[in-house]
Amino acid sequence: MRKRRMFARGLVGAFAGLLLFLSGAWGAIALVYQLPGPQAARIAGACVWSVLWLGLAAALFGWRVWWAPVAMLVALIALLGWWSTVRPTHDRVWADDVSRLLSGEVNGSRVTLHNVRDFSWRTETDYDQHWETREYDLDHLTDADAILSYWSSEAIAHAMLSFGFDDGRHVVFSVEIRRERGEAFSEIGGFFKQFELILLAADERDIVRVRTNVRGEDDYIFPLRMPREAMRSLFVSYVEAANQLVRQPRFYNTVTSNCTTIVYRMARRIDRGLPLDPRLLLTGYLPEYLMDNGTLDRRLSVGEWRRLGRITDRARATAQGDDFSAAIRVGVPPAQSPSSGASTL
């Protein structure tokens, strides 16, 4: 019995130590990313916090003084109070490709989108800017495709959703970080309020081609089995989400507010039965998730869909003036219409 009590006490102590370590590390990283001032000042602030936290931990575990846990609690509450004042904003000097916010109006089947991006990219820094107001008729909506752009590993991809109409037009919705001018993406920064969130609507020859032809990413298209009403509802959900972001800016989060989790929450409004799954975070495996939920047609295997749906080479072979959307779909079987009750996404 005595050994069990000692073991339990040791386990509690180890857990408390781990919790204190994680709290201290979180505070230091938060200060590095969000403390006002130049980088040197942010690093200095993180060092001061680390020394203070380690000193209090030594006082708690080494000297066992009564005031050490109280001081740690006060320090942590003060840090969290400051953290709560770090708020998202639309008022920054934004990179050109995320400088304008998407908004829209829905009148029956007619949708008007403002600030649809249609850039012409030559390099990452050499491009022609073009923003448009476009109108779409949801009665002429014909298909929806998931587009995955692999930029890191087979487990990590950026997910976009493209809606097609019977006149051959496509518009892509993409949830992305809203970078400031000169800023680069950071997975760690995505946990610490480094980036605001933006929802883009763009032409495929812009938002897909820049990834395949300029950034050197590897892209795949997967036709989705969705009822027409589900496609319409999801399209309108994107418009509503864009308008909400105009009214209330939000931070991007690497886990909770990224390119797939936000789409998942919108799709859940259509199909409440959609399960949570690790593949919503490991987005490179999203096709397997779609297959398991009936949204990717099972007449082909995931491997066959990947082989047929790899659009990278077809995109790179296009020239100015080509029908980019038609070119990247050559050889990709269209999705079959799902039966009633099939999963929507």
Side-chain angles (χ1 to χ4, degrees):
M1 184 64 70
R2 186 167 176 267
K3 287 184 177 180
R4 288 182 181 177
R5 283 199 298 268
M6 290 178 62
F7 176 76
R9 215 177 288 127
L11 197 62
V12 170
F15 179 76
L18 177 62
L19 191 61
L20 290 175
F21 171 78
L22 293 175
S23 299
W26 178 86
I29 299 172
L31 289 166
V32 166
Y33 276 100
Q34 291 298 337
L35 194 66
Q39 184 179 22
R42 298 197 303 272
I43 293 174
C47 290
V48 169
W49 165 265
S50 299
V51 170
L52 172 64
W53 195 257
L54 289 172
L56 291 173
L60 174 63
F61 291 105
W63 306 332
R64 299 184 182 278
V65 294
W66 67 267
W67 49 262
V70 176
M72 295 183 92
L73 182 61
V74 170
L76 192 57
I77 289 174
L79 186 71
L80 291 172
W82 160 76
W83 183 252
S84 69
T85 67
V86 180
R87 303 288 179 84
T89 179
H90 292 320
D91 187 21
R92 302 190 194 278
V93 180
W94 303 109
D96 290 336
D97 57 329
V98 291
S99 61
R100 299 193 188 186
L101 291 171
L102 172 69
S103 63
E105 299 97 36
V106 180
N107 296 296
S109 68
R110 307 289 299 185
V111 178
T112 302
L113 296 181
H114 305 286
N115 293 324
V116 177
R117 202 183 76 189
D118 188 13
F119 279 30
S120 295
W121 297 86
R122 289 174 289 275
T123 69
E124 284 270 34
T125 57
D126 183 16
Y127 46 81
D128 297 324
Q129 299 186 51
H130 195 201
W131 300 88
E132 295 182 344
T133 294
R134 294 186 179 180
E135 293 189 355
Y136 300 93
D137 188 342
L138 298 183
D139 286 340
H140 295 270
L141 182 61
T142 58
D143 53 79
D145 302 318
I147 299 176
L148 297 186
S149 188
Y150 289 79
W151 51 271
S152 176
S153 68
E154 67 176 18
I156 303 298
H158 179 69
M160 301 171 281
L161 204 62
S162 178
F163 291 91
F165 294 82
D166 59 12
D167 61 359
R169 292 192 302 164
H170 291 80
V171 60
V172 180
F173 290 101
S174 177
V175 176
E176 303 190 7
I177 63 168
R178 197 176 191 194
R179 306 178 331 279
E180 295 179 60
R181 188 167 295 167
E183 193 173 38
F185 176 68
S186 162
E187 291 91 341
I188 296 175
F191 288 102
F192 291 92
K193 299 183 179 181
Q194 184 179 5
F195 309 107
E196 275 79 6
L197 187 75
I198 191 170
L199 175 55
L200 295 171
D203 197 284
E204 287 185 336
R205 66 187 172 197
D206 168 351
I207 204 164
V208 176
R209 189 176 181 277
V210 69
R211 286 172 163 80
T212 55
N213 295 36
V214 175
R215 298 176 185 169
E217 298 178 11
D218 194 21
D219 283 32
Y220 297 76
I221 191 166
F222 298 92
L224 302 179
R225 297 176 69 245
M226 297 179 67
R228 181 71 60 85
E229 285 307 311
M231 281 192 284
R232 290 172 63 117
S233 182
L234 191 56
F235 193 105
V236 171
S237 295
Y238 271 109
V239 179
E240 293 172 350
N243 290 338
Q244 178 63 26
L245 277 176
V246 172
R247 294 188 294 268
Q248 184 177 349
R250 290 176 57 185
F251 281 119
Y252 173 92
N253 185 281
T254 302
V255 171
T256 60
S257 295
N258 59 40
C259 61
T260 53
T261 55
I262 290 177
V263 177
Y264 170 79
R265 286 197 287 270
M266 289 191 293
R268 283 267 297 177
R269 296 169 53 184
I270 305 166
D271 183 352
R272 301 297 300 177
L274 281 176
L276 279 171
D277 193 286
R279 290 170 292 188
L280 295 169
L281 299 179
L282 300 174
T283 46
Y285 304 122
L286 191 61
E288 285 80 359
Y289 174 82
L290 297 173
M291 176 71 78
D292 289 346
N293 288 282
T295 311
L296 188 59
D297 200 327
R298 293 191 177 102
R299 63 189 157 138
L300 298 177
S301 68
V302 172
E304 289 172 316
W305 279 116
R306 286 188 187 277
R307 180 178 61 83
L308 295 173
R310 185 173 184 268
I311 64 175
T312 306
D313 294 334
R314 295 193 289 270
R316 290 173 181 169
T318 58
Q320 190 72 23
D322 289 348
D323 187 335
F324 183 83
S325 294
I328 63 176
R329 286 174 171 80
V330 171
V332 181
Q336 292 182 336
S337 177
S339 60
S340 59
S343 181
T344 54
L345 188 65

